[in-house]
Amino acid sequence: MQRTHHLTDRRSRGPGRVLGLLLALITMIGLTGTAAFAAPGQKGSVPIRLPLLAASPMDTVAAMQPSWNLGNTLDAIPDETSWGNPKVTKALFDTIKAQGFRSVRIPVTWTDHQSTTAPYTIDATWMNRVKEVVDMALADGLYVVVNVHHDSWQWISAMHTDHDRVLARFKATWTQISAKFKDSPQSLLFESNNEPQFDNTTDAQGIQYNSELNTAFRTVVRQSGGNNATRLLVLPSLHTSSDQVFLDALSGEMKAMNDPNLVATVHYYGYYPFSVNVAGGTRFDATSQQDMSDRFNRLRTTFTSKGVPVYLGEWGLLQFPDSNHPSRIERGEALKFYEQLGYNARTAGVTTALWDPGTWAYLNRTTFQWTDPALFAAIRSSWTTRSGTASSDRIFLAKSSAITARTLTLNPNGTAFRGLWQGGTQLVQGRDYTVSGTQLTLTASALTRLAGNRAYGINATIQARFSRGVPWNIHVTTYDRPVLSDASGSTSDGLSIPTQFRGDQLATMESKYADGSTAGNTAWTPYQEFNNAFSPNYAGNALTLTPAYLNALRDGAQATLTFHFWSGATVTYRVTKNGGSVTGTVA
């Protein structure tokens, strides 16, 4: 995501060979923990703390769990800080190690630091900077994965029409990387190519090209000497997809290579409609859950059950979290996704590498603080155990109506429900709530007390606590049906609709013409994409329709919009485009 000039058959018999034998000996005697070594053959090198490798590739990749991506940094185009992240310092890896991560994936884009003609030389300054960053992570006792990243779509994707040049450049790239790192410890892994993709090809052709690159990658690395002879190599499926056809193809490639030191890799960003909130995919529902379970089951059946390790090189949700934009995905639904992914990965024996694009998502790389500590606590908990959840993390109480009892469905996920708390105060079962099977009902009297003065928004937060894992927050929220007003705008600037949200939160927007056909820039579904076609501005009391959405409307044809809110309320609105002008009216 946004996300070496020739081969040699000479095997190193110098210091790199000695280090390789030392690590092999450590592996054989089965030690655990870390040890300090000085990188041999490098003047002025500093001691590097190396994780002691486990007895098998499966054990080694298991020891890498959990993993973290240094996203949008060395893979940024054209330079390390081009996408808004600061230069990497060792303090970053100190933080990652302290937070419980055991490995880091360091995506690297080489294109803008490499000549475009033979011998495709990589700039020495860039290569040295990559080495410097890798060594920082190794010095913290972290396993490290280095790859060829956005090059996949910048020039590798042209393999169908420029086969020989792409293959030659790919080999030259890995020849240079291999030479630079051949004496690095075997806690460094190489990954062939990020999210392999090939322009204007069928899946069958793409599988063939991906196999050709993976094979060339393995050959170049293995022939480069030093620790590369037995280094763990990470091979992606086409598109890093976990569809069975691509897993079968990768499995066949790996069997043909007859190399025990190979690792399969795929990526997973969830069921697409849920991951970006389109086509009504507002909830982590049965469809989303099954999509996740099926993919991990396929990884277990195809690879891990047969002793082939799997590294989930990137995972997360495509549009969550994002502190720069309104949240597309309701928080409780996102937390359910993180919880189940941790469980599915553990049961499938898959090591997971969280994709972190930088400061606006998970870890603030300036302050070294998590942007959302509670979210990270849930992710960290999922590495080792399950947590209970519920059908929702909100109870909406209409201000215009009398308060009545409300029921949520508990999802214990193998845990035992222990009760409800408000801060340090435990609510009283029988008086404040009742439990019947998985049905949790809060009484009208308890909700009246929790709602307080019934101001719009969250009035109180209570916690459902379980026998293990993180608690489940339930936000008692007062609302009334949102009110929209007439508005005018343009296709170039968008349409800002004055909106009184009145404590409610927007879930999605449905858009149709009078004949029932879809209106909008996502033509295959009437439920348009959150933040792509429409976006709430809670602080500014407005709903915005984007230029992308408005320009896709038919001229002069009125579109009927239905805004769906998390309380269950809906509001109908009508929009008409005439040339560059747009008018919106309350239905």
Side-chain angles (χ1 to χ4, degrees), residues 159 275 319 490 569:
M159 194 168 182
S275 194
Q319 302 295 343
S490 68

Side-chain angles (χ1 to χ4, degrees), residues 68-71 73 84-96 99 101 321 323-324 354-373 375-376:
W68 178 83
N69 270 275
L70 181 66
T73 304
N85 286 314
K87 287 181 71 70
V88 179
T89 64
K90 188 172 178 298
L92 174 62
F93 295 119
D94 294 344
T95 299
I96 289 301
Q99 293 297 316
F101 291 97
S323 61
N324 291 331
L354 178 69
W355 177 259
D356 190 344
T359 297
W360 51 268
Y362 295 99
L363 182 67
N364 185 307
R365 297 186 195 166
T366 300
T367 65
F368 302 124
Q369 300 296 313
W370 297 103
T371 57
D372 188 336
L375 172 61
F376 179 67

